Amino acid sequence: MFFREKSGAVSWLLVCLGNPGIKYKNTRHNVGFHAADALEKRCGAKFDRLKCRALTGSVTLGGEKVLVMKPQTMMNLSGQAVQEAARFYKVPPERVLVICDDVSLSVGRMRLRTGGSAGGHNGLKDIIQRLGSSDFPRIKIGVGEKPRPEYDLADWVLGRPTQKEWETIEAVIQRALDAAECLIEEGADKAMSRYN
C-alpha cells in the first residue's frame, strides 16, 4: 500500500465519524475517529487542518487523492461537514466513503455496503439527509450490541469498550482501512467480496 500526497483535485471523501472533545475519546461511537488516527500513523500524515467543519488532511489511496475528514460537529450533525466538503470539491455521494461504529455487529466484525438506510445511526442519518442520497459506501465496525434490551442505547455507544475489546476493534480498523483502499482502487464489488 502506498500513501503519498498527490497534487490535483480531491476525488474521494473518507469521512471518519465520531464526537469531538475529550469527553468522548475512546467511546464506542468514536471508532471512526480511531480509524482516521490509525490512517495517520499508517501513512505518516496529519489530519489537523480545520476545513468544512472537520479536521482534514489529504492522502492518496488506491491511486486517488482522498480528503480524510473527522467532522467536528457532534455526531448527529456530521452531515453538515460532509455536505460542505462534497459541494466544495464536487464529489458525488458514491465517492463519499464513511467509516463508523455499528451496534448491530459484534466486536470483531466489519461490514462494507454501497448504500442503504442509516440503520439507526444518527451520524449516517444526517449525512443521508444532507446529501439527499443514501447511495454512498460505508464501512461499519462492530462495537457489540447493548447487553440488555432495557439498557439505554446512548449510554452504550458513549461508553468505553474493555481493553480486550479495544484490541479487537483496533485489528478490525486496520482491516477496514485495507477495505477502504480496495474499494477506491478496485471498486465496491471486489472490496465486498474480499472483506465482508
Side-chain angles (χ1 to χ4, degrees):
M1 283 186 235
F2 299 98
F3 301 96
R4 301 181 299 276
E5 189 66 35
K6 178 182 175 184
S7 61
V10 166
S11 57
W12 281 81
L13 303 180
L14 177 58
V15 183
C16 301
L17 296 185
N19 281 308
I22 197 74
K23 176 181 176 183
Y24 301 103
K25 190 174 170 72
N26 297 325
T27 62
R28 292 178 180 89
H29 227 16
N30 274 33
V31 162
F33 277 12
H34 280 272
D37 296 344
L39 184 56
E40 276 188 328
K41 287 180 187 164
R42 194 187 264 204
C43 64
K46 280 286 179 200
F47 308 139
D48 58 3
R49 184 173 175 214
L50 190 58
K51 183 170 183 142
C52 299
R53 301 184 201 212
L55 291 176
T56 67
S58 59
V59 295
T60 297
L61 290 177
E64 299 282 343
K65 187 168 182 181
V66 177
L67 184 76
V68 181
M69 304 178 67
K70 292 169 73 174
Q72 296 300 290
T73 59
M74 294 307 286
M75 174 72 82
N76 296 0
L77 300 174
S78 298
Q80 292 176 349
V82 178
Q83 182 183 44
E84 282 184 30
R87 273 191 191 149
F88 183 83
Y89 292 104
K90 298 177 174 54
V91 174
E94 60 272 14
R95 285 180 166 251
V96 175
L97 174 55
V98 177
I99 298 180
C100 64
D101 61 294
D102 191 324
V103 296
S104 67
L105 295 174
S106 58
V107 173
R109 300 227 23 235
M110 177 186 90
R111 183 174 294 142
L112 170 60
R113 293 285 182 262
T114 56
S117 74
H121 193 289
N122 288 328
L124 287 175
K125 182 179 178 183
D126 195 56
I127 293 170
I128 290 168
Q129 180 183 358
R130 291 177 190 272
L131 287 182
S133 174
S134 61
D135 296 328
F136 57 87
R138 70 280 313 252
I139 297 173
K140 297 178 173 185
I141 296 172
V143 294
E145 295 182 43
K146 57 185 183 171
R148 299 177 305 280
E150 70 277 6
Y151 199 96
D152 183 68
L153 182 59
D155 287 344
W156 179 250
V157 297
L158 296 178
R160 288 171 171 79
T162 65
Q163 182 60 39
K164 185 175 180 183
E165 287 172 331
W166 260 127
E167 289 168 9
T168 303
I169 289 168
E170 284 170 357
V172 176
I173 284 172
Q174 294 300 325
R175 188 168 161 77
L177 296 177
D178 293 341
E181 184 172 34
C182 180
L183 184 145
I184 290 167
E185 184 172 21
E186 301 182 57
D189 290 343
K190 281 256 177 79
M192 286 191 292
S193 68
R194 192 174 301 165
Y195 291 97
N196 275 346

